[in-house]
């Protein structure tokens, strides 16, 4: 019995340290930065801190503002949602488009894309300005 | 209005009737070919149609049951004109798209519109107004197809860059937000019933000088969210049954100079949650049977909490961060155990609404499972005997002995 309890405890510890992105529970998860409920599948973002804590965001702009507000915070990775496929992409290697024709949850009109081609296609269709990770951080500063 | 009659003298505005068995039954064609200021009367029946473009002032009136069905393809009405009225129609099955905001009624840059007495069912967005002014949205029922697990749906009434709009007596439900405002100033929202929406019953973003009163917000993800806005007046609303892990009756985030008066917060996980809310007056509200009545996160300064009723809430107040220059005065607290020896109706010893355990749950949310346990009783008792953490300044020095009646 004692052994089983130990196994349970250890596996809990190991599992909770597992640094993986978790999928957003739409309609129940709350944005860590703006407290808004996350419902739009095309804009969700997340940060996994060095300690494995998962923080969800309703939009990439909230993630970026949170990163800028806590420059000393250490994280394992940042994820954004690809606007076209709804899949997780690495925020630090993503391309961003700010276009008035694509309104995002927090009013920044920001959407994220996996590849340069995707973002340029979207820019052709919707106009707007393209950024990479370091440029978008400067934009929000 | 005078201009309208003047205009009528020169152009003979006529009434065109459409019925399922008439010669004229192509709704799209008839409306698009009508003259300015004509009235279109649509008799009862179902008319499959989509993307009716309106670019002139026109009135469309339906017989009860006259239905335009969008065939899940495109918008039903796309309006780019002033003085358009849509009255007593049933509008259903507008197109659904994740990439484009499609609505049953979409107004672009319209003034003096009237959307009244319509049934707007199963659409992606119900009504969208972009850059509209001086319009009325009244007595409509806007019901989405969204249920518990359907998140791909838009808002029931969605306003973007609008001014002087009145939204009155609508029933909005099963959408993302019941009523959504982004950059909307000087609007009046009253007597609406907003329920079962996935996110918020009413949602303000970057909007100023708006008033909402006598509305009812039931069973939404959260009743109302006011974010990044100023000068919002909130009177006589009811916030009830907004339950869930991140549900609130009213969520205030980065808002200033507003007034919250005579509202009822009943059975919400959190009655009011605030973050960065400054110079707000909370006057004569009733908080009953909520998990937290008021929860203040982050810096909130110069707020007044006066003459409210706090009745049977699990926690009346929780603060994290500094309390600073807020004032709490003359409220009724059902948990108050003090006495009133001089019988002036005011308790003789101050009431401290923040319980120690609310700090613990702030730090470790999971600890909420201990709430009815002996551990919490001991914790609260020890804090009462020898207060260490409970902030001394968070106190009502004039607690009312009787429930506050609204004046």
């Amino acid at each position: 019995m004692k052994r089983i309890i130990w196994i349970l405890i250890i596996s809990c510890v190991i599992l909770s340290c597992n640094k993986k992105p978790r999928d957003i529970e739409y309609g129940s998860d709350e944005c860590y930065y703006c407290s808004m409920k996350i419902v739009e599948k095309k804009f969700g973002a997340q940060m996994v801190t060095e300690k494995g804590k998962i923080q969800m965001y309703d939009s990439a702009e909230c993630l970026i503002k949170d990163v800028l507000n806590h420059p000393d915070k250490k994280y394992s990775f940042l994820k954004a949602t690809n606007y076209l496929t709804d899949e997780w992409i690495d925020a630090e290697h993503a391309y961003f488009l700010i276009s008035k024709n694509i309104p995002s949850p927090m009013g920044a009109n920001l959407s994220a894309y996996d590849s340069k081609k995707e973002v340029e296609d979207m820019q052709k269709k919707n106009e707007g300005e393209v950024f990479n990770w370091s440029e978008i951080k400067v934009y929000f500063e | 209005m005078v201009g309208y009659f003047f205009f009528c003298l020169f152009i003979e505005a006529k009434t065109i009737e459409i019925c399922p068995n008439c010669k004229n039954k192509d709704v799209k064609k008839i409306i698009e070919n009508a003259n300015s200021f004509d009235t279109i009367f649509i008799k009862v029946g179902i008319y499959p149609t989509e993307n009716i473009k309106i670019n002139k002032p026109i009135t469309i009136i339906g017989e009860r049951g006259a239905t335009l069905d969008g065939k899940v393809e495109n918008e039903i009405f796309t309006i780019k004109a002033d003085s358009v009225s849509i009255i007593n129609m049933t509008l259903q099955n507008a197109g659904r798209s994740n990439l484009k905001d499609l609505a049953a009624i979409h107004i672009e840059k319209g003034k003096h519109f009237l959307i009244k007495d319509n049934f707007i069912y199963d659409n992606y967005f119900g009504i969208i107004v972009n850059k509209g002014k001086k319009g009325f949205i009244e007595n409509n029922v806007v019901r989405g197809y969204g249920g518990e697990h359907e998140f791909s749906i838009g808002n029931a009434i969605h306003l973007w860059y609008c001014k002087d709009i009145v939204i009155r007596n609508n029933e909005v439900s099963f959408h993302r937000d019941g009523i959504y405002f982004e950059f909307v100033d000087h609007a009046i929202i009253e007597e609406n019933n907003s329920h079962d929406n996935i996110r918020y019953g009413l949602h303000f973003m970057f909007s100023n000088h708006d008033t909402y009163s006598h509305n009812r917000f039931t069973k939404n993800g959260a009743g109302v969210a006011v974010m990044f806005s100023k000068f919002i007046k909130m009177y006589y609303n009811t916030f009830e049954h907004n339950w869930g892990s991140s549900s609130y009756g009213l969520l205030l985030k980065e808002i200033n100079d507003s007034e919250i008066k005579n509202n009822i917060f009943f059975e919400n996980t959190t009655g009011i949650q605030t973050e960065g809310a400054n110079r707000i007056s909370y006057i004569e509200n009733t908080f009953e049977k909520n998990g937290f009545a008021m929860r203040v996160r982050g810096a909130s300064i110069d707020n007044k909490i006066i003459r409210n009723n706090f009745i049977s809430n699990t926690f009346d107040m929780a603060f994290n961060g500094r309390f600073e220059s807020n004032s709490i005065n003359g409220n009724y607290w059902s948990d108050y155990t003090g006495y009133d020896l001089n019988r002036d109706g005011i308790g003789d010893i101050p009431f401290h609404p923040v319980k120690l355990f609310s700090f613990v749950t702030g730090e470790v949310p999971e600890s909420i499972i201990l709430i009815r346990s002996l551990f919490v009783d001991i914790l609260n008792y020890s804090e009462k005997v020898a207060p260490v953490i409970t902030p001394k300044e968070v106190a009502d020095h004039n607690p009312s002995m009787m429930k506050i009646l609204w004046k």
Side-chain angles (χ1 to χ4, degrees), chain B residues 256-272:
Chain B
N256 294 326
D257 304 294
S258 295
E259 208 176 344
I260 300 172
K261 211 173 159 186
N262 299 119
N263 299 286
I264 295 173
F265 297 86
F266 182 68
E267 291 193 352
N268 303 289
T269 310
T270 302
I272 300 182

Side-chain angles (χ1 to χ4, degrees), chain B residues 31-277:
Chain B
I31 293 175
E32 289 181 357
N33 290 338
N35 292 318
S36 293
F37 301 106
D38 281 354
T39 299
I40 314 273
F41 184 76
I42 302 179
K43 289 208 135 188
V44 62
I46 296 178
Y47 304 83
T49 184
E50 42 123 3
N51 207 12
I52 301 170
K53 294 196 179 85
I54 300 179
N55 46 22
K56 58 194 158 265
I58 207 167
T59 301
I60 297 167
I61 303 177
E63 206 176 19
R64 170 61 49 97
T67 303
L68 301 187
D69 188 311
K71 304 180 284 181
V72 202
E73 274 175 16
N74 207 327
E75 303 193 309
I76 297 176
F77 287 113
T78 308
I79 299 167
K80 291 181 182 169
D82 295 346
S83 308
V84 173
S85 304
I86 296 177
I87 300 166
N88 210 17
M89 294 296 304
T90 300
L91 306 174
Q92 62 187 28
N93 298 328
R96 295 164 196 182
S97 160
N98 284 333
L99 299 175
K100 234 176 130 188
D101 292 347
L102 297 176
I105 300 175
H106 192 149
I107 300 173
E108 288 269 0
K109 290 188 190 165
K111 269 189 264 176
H112 305 288
F113 55 85
L114 174 65
I115 312 284
K116 199 178 160 193
D117 299 328
N118 299 293
F119 293 88
I120 301 175
Y121 292 147
D122 293 337
N123 302 289
Y124 186 61
F125 279 80
I127 301 166
I128 296 180
V129 185
N130 283 351
K131 300 187 180 167
K133 269 185 198 164
K134 298 187 180 161
F136 290 82
I137 300 176
E138 284 185 333
N139 305 351
N140 303 289
V141 177
V142 187
R143 180 174 299 176
Y145 51 81
E148 213 168 304
H149 301 288
E150 177 62 82
F151 302 113
S152 178
I153 185 162
N155 305 317
I157 299 174
H158 179 107
L159 272 64
W160 192 72
Y161 280 108
C162 290
K163 232 177 179 179
D164 302 316
I165 307 283
V166 177
I167 298 181
R168 186 183 291 143
N169 198 20
N170 300 285
E171 186 188 334
V172 289
S173 57
F174 299 99
H175 273 275
R176 183 193 299 153
D177 289 340
I179 302 169
Y180 178 87
F181 276 24
E182 194 167 341
F183 308 106
V184 177
D185 296 346
H186 299 285
I188 294 170
I189 306 150
E190 52 188 24
E191 292 165 28
N192 299 288
N193 181 2
S194 181
H195 62 90
D196 295 286
N197 293 293
I198 295 160
R199 192 165 64 185
Y200 303 129
L202 169 63
H203 189 177
F204 292 89
M205 300 281 269
F206 317 105
S207 298
N208 304 324
H209 301 283
D210 299 315
T211 303
Y212 69 92
S213 63
H214 299 94
N215 300 287
R216 181 176 281 269
F217 303 100
T218 315
K219 288 191 206 162
N220 299 292
V224 177
V226 185
M227 299 175 156
F228 309 97
S229 299
K230 281 181 265 183
F231 306 105
I232 308 287
K233 295 189 167 71
M234 324 178 197
Y235 305 143
Y236 295 102
N237 300 289
T238 303
F239 305 78
E240 57 184 4
H241 304 296
N242 298 297
W243 277 116
S245 61
S246 56
S247 288
Y248 315 102
L250 173 58
L251 172 65
L252 304 177
K253 166 104 184 162
E254 309 296 331
I255 94 159
N256 294 326
D257 304 294
S258 295
E259 208 176 344
I260 300 172
K261 211 173 159 186
N262 299 119
N263 299 286
I264 295 173
F265 297 86
F266 182 68
E267 291 193 352
N268 303 289
T269 310
T270 302
I272 300 182
Q273 164 127 338
T274 77
E275 209 178 325

